Amino acid sequence: MMGGMASEETRTTMFTAVRSSAADEPRRTATRAWTTRLLVIGIVLSALNLRPAITSLGALLEEVRDGLGMSGSVAGLLTSVPPLCFAVFGVTAPRLARRFGAGAVVCAGMVAITAGLLIRPYAGGTAGFLAASALALMGIAVSNVLMPVIVKRWFPDRVGSMTGLYSMALALGTASAAAVTVPMTDVLGGSWQTGLAVWAGLAAAAVLPWIPFVRQRGARPDEQPAGRQEHARVEAPALRITRSRTAWALAVFFGLQATAAYITMGWMAQIFRDAGVPAGTAGLLLAVTMVMGVPLAFVIPRVAARLPHQGPIVLALGACGLAGYAGLYLAPAAGAWAWALLLGVANCAFPLALTMVGMRARTGAGVAQLSAFAQSTGYLISIPGPLLVGVLYQHSGGWGLPIALMAALMVPQMVVGVLAGRNHTVEDEAAR
């Protein structure tokens, strides 16, 4: 009798628990959907802020040089600061993400970008300008590294489309800053300080979507309480990444494409201005170069994700780059719009590199290590490029040698890109 009552009680308890779980399921589903949408918004807003600190400066570089009394070599150093910061601070991103959660680190990165952009125009002197720029670039660096990790962790079945989405947003932010900084500066009174500081508002908006993820410490939306299990998978390094030939090829490819990108962002507007193109038009030409990445940054990762080998895309982008540099050397003003378009296509090696980071590792832990290694090593490789362009420009008195250097670097970029595009994974090459 007592056993029957206990059995009935157990069945009742189980039924109540099942009914309660079923009733809670729609609420959990709605919460997951809301969290996922918020995460997508956060990714897009963050991506919009990953380049305006650089391209807004490129558009006003002459005014900043005059205002701060910079020489050509010091201006070249200024254009080398972004890759230096990305190399130094990017390598810390996986460690910070393991300790605080990827969402918290990206949130802090957006705060650093906001503060750096607000401070640097009014810091006073070249040293203060460089220090505040480094603060903003530190935030960009950690976010750069963690974006592929976040995509792989939260959207493992949509790596290509999500990489395309944030790459497109990144290109849109890059192009917008290049296009509107000069006219917006004129509207705001003509002060280059105001023209640079105004971009802090966009960075501040990007902080908000990440605030809920600070508390979650990187857990996936569909596994909040159990998220620490996914989090733990990223904690213990399982790879000796430097043993992987694919990782090295991808790092060098990343470095060479970053060299081309930062030379373009830092100097292309000035090349056109020195060729007789008005300042506003030169800014628009830089914007055209950047805006090419908006549609292509969405298309290329989706196409690349469907291919077993990304080498053909690497070669096509490299050919556009060589053609653009040739035109920039031979007729910079006459064919300016064509060269801007071709170099814009070539600069889409960046979203391709990000896509390959997600494809060359099987796990979230592998992507975290590969992303940190490829981006930090790559940006370290890219540091001398913009500085060397400034030195060559100052000592040669023209753009012939700098453009020849840019074209020459495109050849090894194509070679290592083909090697990085092979259907290999770092786990197979670098496992203990």
Side-chain angles (χ1 to χ4, degrees):
M1 182 73 173
M2 293 294 292
M5 290 175 63
S7 178
E8 182 65 27
E9 213 173 281
T10 301
R11 284 196 298 271
T12 302
T13 301
M14 290 177 62
F15 176 75
T16 302
V18 169
R19 186 172 61 182
S20 174
S21 176
D24 288 342
E25 184 58 32
R27 188 182 303 117
R28 285 198 297 269
T29 301
T31 300
R32 285 197 297 268
W34 178 86
T35 305
T36 301
R37 285 193 291 269
L38 186 64
L39 181 64
V40 171
I41 292 170
I43 289 172
V44 170
L45 282 176
S46 296
L48 285 170
N49 282 282
L50 294 182
R51 293 300 179 270
I54 302 164
T55 50
S56 62
L57 176 59
L60 293 172
L61 184 58
E62 186 171 309
E63 288 75 11
V64 173
R65 284 176 58 187
D66 293 341
L68 297 177
M70 291 183 185
S71 66
S73 298
V74 174
L77 175 63
L78 184 60
T79 58
S80 294
V81 168
L84 174 62
C85 289
F86 294 166
V88 171
F89 297 118
V91 74
T92 66
R95 188 180 302 111
L96 292 171
R98 288 196 298 269
R99 182 170 181 179
F100 302 107
V105 176
V106 173
C107 185
M110 294 301 112
V111 171
I113 295 170
T114 304
L117 292 181
L118 273 175
I119 294 169
R120 76 173 179 176
Y122 309 105
T126 301
F129 190 94
L130 288 171
S133 294
L135 176 61
L137 294 166
M138 177 177 64
I140 295 173
V142 294
S143 301
N144 269 336
V145 170
L146 292 179
M147 283 293 133
V149 178
I150 289 170
V151 167
K152 184 76 169 183
R153 185 184 303 171
W154 273 284
F155 305 96
D157 55 341
R158 287 183 282 167
V159 170
S161 59
M162 286 303 300
T163 301
L165 179 64
Y166 82 75
S167 296
M168 184 173 66
L170 189 151
L172 181 60
T174 306
S176 298
V180 307
T181 296
V182 171
M184 185 168 57
T185 301
D186 294 337
V187 169
L188 295 174
S191 169
W192 63 265
Q193 288 97 335
T194 306
L196 293 181
V198 72
W199 292 102
L202 182 62
V207 175
L208 302 177
W210 292 103
I211 293 175
F213 296 94
V214 173
R215 296 192 300 271
Q216 292 173 7
R217 294 182 59 81
R220 285 177 54 178
D222 58 343
E223 49 182 44
Q224 298 300 337
R228 298 181 66 86
Q229 187 175 12
E230 173 72 17
H231 184 63
R233 281 208 310 233
V234 186
E235 277 191 12
L239 303 172
R240 294 178 181 175
I241 200 75
T242 54
R243 291 185 174 183
S244 169
R245 294 181 179 179
T246 297
W248 277 108
L250 188 52
V252 176
F253 176 69
F254 202 100
L256 291 174
Q257 68 80 28
T259 300
Y262 287 107
I263 289 173
T264 299
M265 286 187 280
W267 290 108
M268 197 177 84
Q270 192 64 48
I271 292 173
F272 286 126
R273 291 176 72 168
D274 287 351
V277 177
T281 304
L284 285 175
L285 287 165
L286 178 58
V288 166
T289 300
M290 299 299 113
V291 84
M292 287 301 296
V294 176
L296 291 179
F298 187 71
V299 173
I300 288 176
R302 293 169 68 89
V303 174
R306 290 180 171 87
L307 296 177
H309 195 309
Q310 289 74 45
I313 303 178
V314 171
L315 295 176
L317 298 180
C320 289
L322 290 173
Y325 290 134
L328 204 59
Y329 179 85
L330 296 172
W337 296 99
W339 319 142
L341 287 170
L342 286 168
L343 292 174
V345 175
N347 276 350
C348 288
F350 176 70
L352 177 62
L354 292 178
T355 306
M356 288 196 287
V357 167
M359 296 179 67
R360 297 288 87 89
R362 289 194 298 268
T363 65
V367 171
Q369 287 187 265
L370 179 58
S371 181
F373 175 75
Q375 294 201 45
S376 295
T377 305
Y379 284 125
L380 194 64
I381 291 170
S382 72
I383 290 170
L387 177 60
L388 186 56
V389 165
V391 172
L392 288 175
Y393 169 62
Q394 181 169 337
H395 289 281
S396 68
W399 288 106
L401 285 177
I403 293 172
L405 172 66
M406 299 178 213
L409 291 175
M410 188 60 67
V411 177
Q413 176 180 322
M414 295 164 72
V415 173
V416 294
V418 169
L419 295 175
R422 295 174 301 171
N423 190 19
H424 296 172
T425 63
V426 293
E427 285 88 353
D428 293 334
E429 298 176 345
R432 286 178 177 175

